[in-house]
Amino acid sequence: MAIREKTRHGQTHRGNPPHPHREIHRAKTAPRAKSPELTKPPASGINNFHKALRFLSSLNDFERLRIVRYTTQNFDLERMRTLLKKLGNPQDKFRSVHVAGTKGKGSTCAMIASMLQACDHKTGLYTSPHLVDIRERIVVNGHMISHADFTRLVRQIAPIVERMKPTPTYFDVLTAIAFAYFAEQGVEIAVVETGLGGRLDSTNVIKPEVTAITSISKDHMGQLGTTLDRIAEEKAGIFKPGIPALTVLQPPEVEATFKRIAERVGAPFEIAGKNIEFSYRFESSRMLGPHNRVCLTTPSSKFEHLAVPLMGEHQAINCGLALSVIDRLKARGITINDAKAMEGLARTSLPGRMEMVSTTPRIIVDGAHNAASLDAMMRAIGQYIPYDSMVVIFGCCADKDVPGMLERITSGADKVIFTPVDNIRSSDPSELAARYVELYGKMAQVASTLEEALGIAYRAVTKEDLICITGSFYLVGTAKKYFAAKAAAGMSS
């Protein structure tokens, strides 16, 4: 589908022509800050949330390392199993759904959890990364774990972690905390998103009722492989014998890999849109405005013309996968009321995905962090948000498919401001800008901080224009903190 944006005059076209009277000038980049050396507090001294975070920060955090080798030494499921055994194997005390994939995992998990909660099941949700608050990762019935419970669980787990060799990682410990919290809260079913890959991921110790894999595209290629079939093989590592394995329409080599691995482990494998009857369409109504509607029919479920609660064609596909999971959970003995599930679906919300954080000027944030998700975002903006000109504030991590991402930006952006992300793996914005100008001959600028980038963007737009902050969940998190602080300052003044 071509990406088309509507102008004030009702015309549509691919991208918008540059506005020379609003030229953006190049700025210098600040040197990248070095990571501070952290000293973890003793377990006995973890008596507040800040000290709990400090302890976690002392552990190996692969989300914030420049180079991560994807080996069984770094990603060690036996280490994870040992940690959980010392905690009483909390992962065995609740049922679960396991979701992997390249893009759409968080959205799919959010929709599944919202439907289960609406069906009166006490529902846990474990996702990553977080945008603003680490507690966003651990949620029960829509409520984040409290500061007190988070601190208490870190204090309980810290002595175990300190005695273990090899030492569990940051993500190991967070996953164990989530499982322990779900068990003590009496969660009936938890929706668990993988972190990196699937086969060696810390979450791959659960015994799920259903496994699901969202769209596969190139991401984390340094760890998972440079081809789609290699990436798919790692993701399919979550398939389990006798457990339904679901996915969406995929590139041929990905589908073939999934089928092969499902057959090898003995997992019943189905595809929404192929083995499972699923369709979607885009429409606009006075009540809902532009939106997608989906239909999914199986022998036990009939979901017809449901409005997708999140914007974009890609979210319709994610919604089809979420509904497929709900249908298969019925067959696994979990009580699902279709009407309640539909009500829950309609209430789904997800920060950081096509989220409008300012109306004057209009600013959206989206955590698109690979070429495929950027393409989906640009298409969604073209469908849902009319604008004259778009300024993109972009930052990404260096281990991404940077050439692919730059290509997708040029399809919709009239101007681009490159800025660093809050991660040691951040791409150098000056290098990104130079590459972008060389490849596409379009205007680009570098800003040393998001706040500086916003200042430049404000001067470049009118009320008919749009500012989009994207490329990384880390950048989106920084943006959400910035606008939350700005709102708090406005209320206090």
Side-chain angles (χ1 to χ4, degrees):
M1 186 185 295
I3 300 167
R4 299 181 183 273
E5 292 83 32
K6 187 177 283 186
T7 69
R8 279 180 294 190
H9 309 294
Q11 297 173 322
T12 58
H13 54 80
R14 257 183 215 273
N16 294 293
H19 296 268
H21 61 281
R22 284 188 244 138
E23 184 173 353
I24 299 178
H25 302 286
R26 185 177 296 279
K28 291 183 179 178
T29 310
R32 187 178 296 141
K34 292 182 178 179
S35 299
E37 292 297 322
L38 295 163
T39 305
K40 60 187 175 185
S44 58
I46 301 174
N47 54 16
N48 60 46
F49 186 64
H50 173 73
K51 289 181 179 177
L53 292 181
R54 202 171 124 211
F55 175 82
L56 286 171
S57 297
S58 71
L59 303 172
N60 274 341
D61 181 1
F62 296 143
E63 295 172 14
R64 292 190 171 271
L65 292 181
R66 184 179 296 279
I67 298 173
V68 180
R69 298 190 185 283
Y70 191 68
T71 64
T72 51
Q73 183 176 354
N74 286 336
F75 298 86
D76 183 358
L77 290 186
E78 284 310 309
R79 178 183 62 213
M80 188 65 195
R81 291 189 182 100
T82 299
L83 174 59
L84 289 170
K85 185 176 181 181
K86 291 176 182 294
L87 292 172
N89 285 319
Q91 77 281 6
D92 295 338
K93 296 174 183 175
F94 52 84
R95 301 171 90 171
S96 60
V97 172
H98 205 189
V99 181
T102 305
K103 64 186 181 76
K105 291 182 295 181
S107 305
T108 303
C109 286
M111 287 187 268
I112 296 169
S114 190
M115 287 189 277
L116 287 171
Q117 184 183 336
C119 291
D120 302 318
H121 295 291
K122 193 165 190 179
T123 306
L125 177 61
Y126 180 58
T127 58
S128 61
H130 60 276
L131 294 175
V132 177
D133 187 331
I134 194 172
R135 299 178 303 126
E136 296 167 24
R137 300 180 183 226
I138 304 171
V139 172
V140 173
N141 277 3
H143 299 287
M144 292 189 295
I145 184 173
S146 69
H147 289 94
D149 283 332
F150 187 89
T151 302
R152 173 178 55 80
L153 286 167
V154 173
R155 185 168 58 247
Q156 288 176 6
I157 203 171
I160 299 170
V161 171
E162 289 175 334
R163 289 194 296 267
M164 284 183 62
K165 298 295 178 191
T167 305
T169 67
Y170 175 90
F171 191 71
D172 288 341
V173 173
L174 271 180
T175 304
I177 288 170
F179 293 168
Y181 184 66
F182 293 160
E184 70 179 30
Q185 291 293 307
V187 159
E188 296 171 61
I189 184 163
V191 183
V192 178
E193 176 189 359
T194 61
L196 176 68
R199 179 175 64 94
L200 299 178
D201 190 73
S202 304
T203 62
N204 201 24
V205 293
I206 56 176
K207 300 168 185 173
E209 301 296 323
V210 179
T211 62
I213 302 183
T214 62
S215 297
I216 297 298
S217 54
K218 291 184 178 180
D219 199 5
H220 296 295
M221 293 178 291
Q223 290 78 36
L224 304 182
T226 56
T227 61
L228 288 180
D229 56 334
R230 284 284 303 278
I231 294 169
E233 191 161 352
E234 290 300 323
K235 305 288 186 181
I238 68 169
F239 291 171
K240 304 289 187 298
I243 302 301
L246 307 175
T247 192
V248 297
L249 291 173
Q250 303 277 8
E253 64 268 42
V254 171
E255 182 181 323
T257 300
F258 285 170
K259 280 183 178 177
R260 173 173 55 81
I261 294 174
E263 288 173 4
R264 189 178 73 205
V265 303
F269 177 66
E270 293 180 287
I271 302 169
K274 196 167 187 179
N275 315 102
I276 301 170
E277 187 179 330
F278 167 69
S279 63
Y280 63 91
R281 71 175 190 273
F282 178 78
E283 64 178 47
S284 187
S285 67
R286 183 177 296 177
M287 182 177 295
L288 295 177
H291 63 282
N292 279 284
R293 287 191 178 274
V294 299
C295 297
L296 185 136
T297 304
T298 72
S300 57
S301 300
K302 195 168 186 178
F303 297 110
E304 291 189 313
H305 311 299
L306 302 188
V308 179
L310 306 172
M311 288 192 282
E313 179 184 0
H314 58 298
Q315 296 294 8
I317 295 167
N318 294 334
C319 186
L321 184 58
L323 290 168
S324 301
V325 168
I326 290 295
D327 175 73
R328 291 305 177 262
L329 286 174
K330 287 183 186 178
R332 303 284 295 180
I334 292 174
T335 304
I336 302 291
N337 178 294
D338 285 359
K340 286 185 175 181
M342 288 186 279
E343 290 172 7
L345 178 66
R347 290 195 293 267
T348 306
S349 63
L350 194 62
R353 280 78 165 180
M354 292 287 290
E355 180 183 1
M356 190 76 72
V357 293
S358 169
T359 54
T360 312
R362 293 182 301 164
I363 303 174
I364 66 164
V365 297
D366 190 278
H369 56 282
N370 57 53
S373 54
L374 271 172
D375 184 51
M377 182 201 74
M378 289 296 184
R379 291 155 68 101
I381 289 172
Q383 286 182 316
Y384 288 84
I385 306 173
Y387 65 90
D388 272 3
S389 179
M390 178 161 62
V391 176
V392 170
I393 298 175
F394 181 86
C396 70
C397 290
D399 61 340
K400 301 294 182 178
D401 175 17
V402 175
M405 296 176 82
L406 293 180
E407 183 182 357
R408 298 316 191 278
I409 295 172
T410 194
S411 68
D414 299 293
K415 306 173 185 69
V416 185
I417 306 167
F418 292 100
T419 191
V421 303
D422 182 22
N423 189 287
I424 195 170
R425 292 183 284 116
S426 176
S427 286
D428 185 316
S430 294
E431 292 177 8
L432 290 176
R435 212 163 163 186
Y436 186 75
V437 171
E438 180 184 353
L439 286 171
Y440 304 106
K442 289 193 174 185
M443 205 175 296
Q445 164 150 14
V446 174
S448 59
T449 65
L450 175 64
E451 187 171 0
E452 181 187 344
L454 282 166
I456 298 162
Y458 289 153
R459 295 191 292 272
V461 297
T462 70
K463 65 179 181 179
E464 304 296 335
D465 299 333
L466 181 68
I467 298 170
C468 175
I469 303 170
T470 190
S472 167
F473 277 114
Y474 299 112
L475 185 61
V476 169
T478 300
K480 286 183 66 66
K481 289 175 190 174
Y482 172 83
F483 286 105
K486 193 174 178 182
M491 286 188 292
S492 63
S493 60

